[in-house]
Amino acid sequence: MILSAEIEHKIEQIIAQQGILSPQQLEQSKVEALQQGKSLIELLIDQKVIKEDDATKLIAMGSNLPFVDLANVTIPNEVLTIIPRDVAESFSSVAFGVVDGKLNVATLDPQNLQAVDFLSRKTGYPINAYMAPKSQIDKWINSYTSGISEEVGEALVGEEGEDALKISEDLKNFEKSDPKKIESIVQDAPITRALNTIFEYAINSKASDIHIEPRERSVKIRFRVDGILQEVMSLPKTTEPALISRIKILSNLKIDEHRIPQDGQAQYRANGKEVDLRIAIAPISFGEQIVIRLLDKSEGILNIDSLGFKGRSAKVLKKAITKPYGMILSTGPTGSGKSTTLYAIIQTIKSPKINIVTLEDPVEYKMDGINQMQVNNAVGLTFANGLRSILRQDPNVIMVGEIRDHETADLAVQSSLTGHLVLSTLHTNSASGVLPRLLDMGIEPFLIASTINVVMGQRLVRKVCEKCRKPMQATQAAVDMINRVVGNYLPKDQSQLQMVEENLGYKGLPILSQNAYTLYKGEGCADCDDGYKGRIGIYEIFEMNKDIEQLLLKEATSSAIQDQAQKDGMLTMQQDGILKALTGTTTIEEVSRVSADS
């Protein structure tokens, strides 16, 4: 929206009245904006003085236009869907209420009379147009997920009335005699449109996985969002053969094979985004279950600072990645962010001066400037064989997706001994369990001691939504838990606060108390899912030292190693999580869900 001089002047007055800038700062910013050929609003957004949502409100106030903050509005589905999704996307507009026979609509430009007139004719309502931030409008457009059943149902009926039942019968007729014929049946069938709809809803919902699960009388569709599975719809059982065949065709798998598991890959483009699909199919009692991992290329790779490492943990990791050789190992269950952490390390250290080679199963994120190799067991390219090949490619840094057996572990250790920095993952419950696990794999204790730089354990917790976050008093049970787990780390009085925060790396810590702490919880809004938005890591990390080396040579238990690591200053994952809950990043419930009690 191009702003007139009059509106810009009004916005300047509002900025001064609200104390966003002092008079001197305002004059300086106006000069800078003029020099850079920007409006004052654009400059303030670039300098992070104000957020885009606040900028929209300032423009509305300066233009004397009605404004609505959709983050504080609950829109019933029957109101939201008055404007069809495709129209809402085209005009960046959402309906949020009906008052006195008029439809309240949030839009980017209420003064666009042509758009308002079209929406009025399309919906049959007179329109009250309000200005709203684009991010909030997009959030509500993406929340049309509740209408997925209707959209998929419509897609399942073709233009000539062909439906999923007829297609399923056709598939049965051709499956054994002519698998190729199936492709022509499914390619342009309604099931293709239905599957595309499912993909688009999953991508808009920022789901990490789609679960397609056959049941006795239906097919359940579930999305995993921020680590939590949620059922989004149920399809008729008759759609199952066509749906599974379509997915197999997309991922170049055998259409007529139903007895054994199959893994494949595909790509999907939606709203200008390219998404990689990792597809796993397995036979179950009622058919074939499919799990599709969605990897959004447009999200980019996070850096170490944005993952959630704090204080000592961040220092230990950053020190370790500067070493030219040794091993950095990450551990945790599937879906705990181990690969993301290793990619973030690579993103930090990659340079034209070093050769970084990865061996993965599969390659999750494609990165410029590094050489990535895909494991292929079918042709004998295992982790062990691939690692042998990598060592002949003059690498400086090697990333091995996972250490699964003695052979891979031994090669990884030998690689780090011969002057390479090796990054990899293992499956154990804690960081301290990694060393006994390597011993179980047959690696000599003195080799482990001389090659390990750092070991980290991690989990992912959901973050509290910043838009609807509210303070709340901790229950006495939560107070007791906080004091038991992190009481020794909290400042005893105000004089210790700054020193403790600097040492630990957490801002906003409370003073130690026996009966009261302030925690934070999201109430749920247009910008989040049940009060949570996004995820962050909780970590425990220790570096190899003489004390741990001695325990290792004695083949000590993981609990003995953990005790020593904590004496050396390591925070456990649970402690890290509770400190993040106390500073408003997550909740005690989330930390308890993913980490063990200590």
Side-chain angles (χ1 to χ4, degrees), residues 496-508:
Q496 295 183 357
L497 180 60
Q498 185 176 351
M499 181 185 70
V500 171
E501 286 186 338
E502 287 176 357
N503 289 340
L504 289 178
Y506 301 84
K507 293 294 181 185

Side-chain angles (χ1 to χ4, degrees), residues 84 90 234 287 307 370 445 457 511 518 555:
S90 297
S234 179
L307 292 179
I370 68 171
I511 306 299
T518 299
E555 299 191 10

Side-chain angles (χ1 to χ4, degrees), residues 500-541:
V500 171
E501 286 186 338
E502 287 176 357
N503 289 340
L504 289 178
Y506 301 84
K507 293 294 181 185
L509 288 174
I511 306 299
L512 180 68
S513 169
Q514 296 304 312
N515 52 25
Y517 289 111
T518 299
L519 299 174
Y520 296 86
K521 193 176 181 93
E523 294 186 322
C525 67
D527 207 43
C528 69
D529 183 36
D530 299 329
Y532 294 100
K533 185 178 182 183
R535 289 189 289 176
I536 195 169
I538 58 174
Y539 303 93
E540 57 187 26
I541 181 167

Side-chain angles (χ1 to χ4, degrees), residues 5-6 121 244 335:
E6 183 184 354
R121 285 186 282 109
I244 291 171

Side-chain angles (χ1 to χ4, degrees), residues 467-484:
K467 289 280 180 71
C468 62
R469 187 179 77 167
K470 301 290 182 188
M472 53 175 278
Q473 282 297 110
T475 63
Q476 190 58 48
V479 170
D480 294 341
M481 178 188 182
I482 290 165
N483 287 340
R484 174 171 55 83

Side-chain angles (χ1 to χ4, degrees), residues 203 206 273-274 294-302 365:
I203 292 164
K206 296 193 179 300
K273 292 182 178 181
E274 262 197 23
L294 306 173
L295 299 167
D296 188 348
K297 294 180 179 180
S298 66
E299 291 292 325
I301 294 169
L302 298 172
Y365 297 98

